[in-house]
Amino acid sequence: MSAPRLEIDLDKITHNARVLVEDLGERGIAVTGVTKAALGAVEVAKAMLRAGVSGLGDSRIENIEAMRHQRIAAPIMLIRSPMLSQAERVVKSADISFNTELSVVRRLSAAAQDADRVHGIVLMVELGDLREGILPVDLIGAAREVLRLPNLELTGIGVNLACHSGMAPDATNMAALSTLADEVEAALDVSLEIVSGGNSANLNWALGKGKIGRINHLRLGEAILLGCEPLHRTPVDGLHTDAITLVAEVIESKTKPSLPWGTLAETAFGGDVTSTDTGDMSRAILALGEQDMDPAGLVPPDGLAILGASGDHLLIDCGKRRLQVGTEVRFAVNYSALIRAMTSPFVDKAMARGRTARPSLNLA
Ligand SMILES: *Cc1c(COP(=O)(O)O)cnc(C)c1O
């Protein structure tokens, strides 16, 4: 197999999704499986669908189109506000989109009329994280406009927290969303199918003991793929945290001093160099760099430490070990390392079902 590569265990992804679908199902919450971190890979989409997710969500229309081309027939929602310039494509490939701007909603309505389709609108509400969302005072007016426009359906309302400002989903903001759902329904005499409480950061709240209220939907990516909730990056009970790992190959292995020498200037990526002299050390270079992933998001195997990275090199302190050239080293990844590795054309994506566990480090 070629390196570097992401190894993606599709059965572990299905397991994670199934546990979440079942646990949240008991609380009356449906799960949309979010594929954006996997660039809409059809194998990952299918792994989520096998687990019983109610549909798929992605932030990029390109990924949604790719899934449609590969015959994914499940409901798909575009979970980022559509670009005005992409309204036709959105209506064609996505069943539902998340919206905060009436100019976009109007364009979607026109495109849906042209395509002779009905497009679902989820209006996103701002509840404090200050990323996307209509201010609560403007919500009923916006919902009224959606109802007035042809070929649109007001599918529901939603919120996104813990992304820009790190505002955690809690009893207060979730109750606020429930109240808004009641108010929209009462004011406009409609019933909202979806009240979407958020993303993986909502899991502590949703699986806790608090009142769920009207929330009946979550969009989950990170928790399914990495087995973690993003608020404190702690593993979720019962989920695999190693469904996706990143493997890279040693291209240099030498004993070198711990301190650099010569005249000091800026480093390639602005990091600090070590300043403590610990004498000679066993160092390795892996063929993996900033162009492939986010080095801050890698967790090395026990006994190894990351010294730094440049565009194409990852420097490793091998501790008591010596890694031979050609050795493969396996890392756990966080969300940031995952999306960059997924997006890098230099990183191979090895997806398989029923993969057996391998040692984390193949020492020669
Ligand atoms: C990315 C995203 C999600 C999924 O977030 P995870 O933390 O990966 O679960 C859900 N909703 C929106 C609007 C998103 O942008």
Side-chain angles (χ1 to χ4, degrees), residues 14-43:
T14 300
H15 168 90
N16 286 356
R18 184 171 289 133
V19 169
L20 292 166
V21 165
E22 285 171 3
D23 290 356
L24 291 166
E26 286 174 17
R27 307 272 276 159
I29 295 175
V31 174
T32 280
V34 174
T35 48
K36 66 188 178 192
L39 271 54
V42 69
E43 297 88 342

Side-chain angles (χ1 to χ4, degrees), residues 16-337:
N16 286 356
R18 184 171 289 133
V19 169
L20 292 166
V21 165
E22 285 171 3
D23 290 356
L24 291 166
E26 286 174 17
R27 307 272 276 159
I29 295 175
V31 174
T32 280
V34 174
T35 48
K36 66 188 178 192
L39 271 54
V42 69
E43 297 88 342
V44 171
K46 286 181 177 166
M48 291 178 176
L49 289 169
R50 279 195 293 275
V53 296
S54 64
L56 301 169
D58 204 291
S59 51
R60 313 261 171 168
I61 193 63
E62 294 81 357
N63 293 343
I64 294 176
E65 288 170 347
M67 289 191 278
R68 289 299 189 216
H69 278 302
Q70 294 177 84
R71 298 177 204 283
I72 298 286
I76 306 185
M77 42 175 69
L78 178 67
I79 59 174
R80 182 173 71 180
S81 302
M83 290 182 221
L84 209 45
S85 58
Q86 294 183 335
E88 286 74 21
R89 293 168 67 181
V90 172
V91 161
K92 193 161 171 239
S93 297
D95 304 281
I96 293 171
S97 58
F98 285 11
N99 285 274
T100 62
E101 291 289 350
L102 287 176
S103 55
V104 175
V105 170
R106 286 187 203 106
R107 187 74 70 89
L108 290 169
S109 167
Q113 278 179 278
D114 288 345
D116 198 18
R117 284 169 175 264
V118 174
H119 185 71
I121 301 287
V122 170
L123 291 176
M124 296 298 277
V125 193
E126 175 61 67
L127 289 180
D129 196 52
L130 297 179
R131 204 179 73 176
E132 74 271 38
I134 297 168
L135 289 169
V137 291
D138 299 325
L139 180 62
I140 290 177
R144 183 178 288 118
E145 180 73 2
V146 172
L147 292 169
R148 203 184 59 74
L149 288 164
N151 296 61
L152 296 184
E153 208 167 70
L154 179 62
T155 311
I157 63 172
V159 67
N160 195 68
L161 295 167
C163 272
H164 175 62
S165 311
M167 284 303 140
D170 59 19
T172 309
N173 48 39
M174 289 297 105
L177 188 65
S178 286
T179 303
L180 286 168
D182 290 339
E183 287 173 3
V184 169
E185 289 185 344
L188 304 174
D189 191 24
V190 287
S191 103
L192 299 175
E193 181 189 326
I194 290 181
V195 182
S196 188
N199 54 47
S200 295
N202 284 61
L203 283 174
N204 286 343
W205 168 81
L207 297 172
K209 293 189 167 48
K211 262 180 63 183
I212 292 299
R214 292 290 312 270
I215 314 300
N216 63 5
H217 179 259
L218 291 179
R219 300 108 35 200
L220 303 180
E222 178 161 355
I224 294 176
L225 299 174
L226 299 179
C228 280
E229 60 78 35
L231 284 182
H232 311 286
R233 308 274 165 200
T234 47
V236 179
D237 267 355
L239 302 195
H240 296 293
T241 54
D242 61 350
I244 305 180
T245 52
L246 180 60
V247 177
E249 184 175 325
V250 176
I251 53 171
E252 180 186 300
S253 176
K254 296 193 186 304
T255 301
K256 293 189 187 182
S258 48
L259 277 189
W261 66 90
T263 310
L264 268 185
E266 290 267 318
T267 61
F269 283 84
D272 282 335
V273 270
T274 344
S275 52
T276 38
D277 189 355
T278 53
D280 280 357
M281 59 191 285
S282 166
R283 301 167 69 105
I285 300 179
L286 308 192
L288 184 73
E290 294 268 0
Q291 202 168 7
D292 305 300
M293 47 83 230
D294 174 8
L298 293 185
V299 182
D302 284 348
L304 303 187
I306 295 170
L307 293 165
S310 52
D312 313 297
H313 298 82
L314 186 73
L315 304 179
I316 300 287
D317 173 354
C318 303
K320 295 186 171 50
R321 288 185 173 128
R322 184 170 174 102
L323 300 186
Q324 288 201 4
V325 170
T327 303
E328 290 192 336
V329 181
R330 181 181 304 271
F331 298 86
V333 287
N334 76 1
Y335 194 76
S336 163

